[in-house]
């Protein structure tokens, strides 16, 4: 029952407002704050981003398998950079954003959506890691 109350509150009160903070400019989430996105808990639909956000830009059309392959490539390069301790091998923020935009093109009703969401959440964590230094 507590879970149902939390879910109802998440739909009626912006998550940031519940913490006494103004809504963040990054995305219309409806589920949780971006920092709370979990790879194993996909929301019913993709978050939406304001028109000036990097993830709101259009990208070339890819099939779901192509989008997932692009995301995997970016993740693999990240892991290689981490294991070799060579930060110059990291994918660029634009590489990460392009992979995210490709994943966002997968319909949330598609069978691959849960995998796409998981990859998207991991890529967003990478993006935050890069931004934090």
């Amino acid at each position: 029952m507590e879970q149902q109350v939390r879910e109802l509150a998440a739909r009626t009160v912006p998550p940031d407002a519940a913490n006494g903070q103004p809504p963040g400019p990054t995305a219309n989430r409806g589920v949780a704050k971006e920092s709370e996105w979990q790879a194993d808990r996909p929301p019913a639909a993709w978050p939406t981003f304001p028109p000036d956000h990097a993830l709101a830009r259009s990208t070339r059309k890819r099939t779901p398998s192509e989008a997932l392959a692009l995301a995997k490539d970016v993740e693999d390069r990240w892991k290689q950079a981490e294991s070799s301790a060579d930060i110059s091998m990291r994918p660029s923020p634009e590489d990460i954003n392009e992979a995210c935009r490709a994943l966002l093109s997968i319909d949330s009703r598609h069978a691959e959506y849960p995998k796409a969401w998981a990859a998207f959440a991991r890529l967003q964590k990478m993006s935050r890691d890069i931004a934090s230094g």
Side-chain angles (χ1 to χ4, degrees):
M1 185 162 166
E2 289 178 21
Q3 181 182 4
Q4 290 174 334
V5 170
R6 281 193 302 269
E7 289 172 0
L8 178 61
R11 282 185 260 148
T12 58
V13 177
D16 295 322
N19 296 334
Q21 300 172 354
T26 55
N28 177 3
R29 303 180 259 320
V31 177
K33 292 188 293 186
E34 183 175 333
S35 62
E36 296 173 357
W37 288 346
Q38 296 179 16
D40 61 341
R41 300 179 82 189
W46 290 109
T48 56
F49 298 90
D52 60 340
H53 193 280
L55 296 182
R57 291 190 356 221
S58 63
T59 187
R60 79 174 181 85
K61 184 71 176 152
R62 293 178 175 89
T63 66
S65 59
E66 290 172 328
L68 287 164
L70 176 61
K72 183 179 180 337
D73 176 62
V74 170
E75 287 186 86
D76 288 346
R77 288 189 287 145
W78 180 270
K79 288 175 188 170
Q80 286 177 328
E82 293 290 303
S83 66
S84 70
D86 183 358
I87 199 166
S88 69
M89 291 177 60
R90 273 186 180 176
S92 71
E94 184 51 38
D95 291 340
I96 294 170
N97 286 340
E98 181 62 23
C100 286
R101 286 189 293 267
L103 293 169
L104 288 167
S105 70
I106 297 173
D107 191 303
S108 61
R109 294 170 297 201
H110 194 279
E112 297 289 5
Y113 173 66
K115 288 181 191 175
W117 172 261
F120 179 79
R122 290 188 302 266
L123 290 170
Q124 287 300 287
K125 181 180 182 321
M126 286 179 214
S127 190
R128 286 190 305 273
D129 289 349
I130 288 173
S132 68

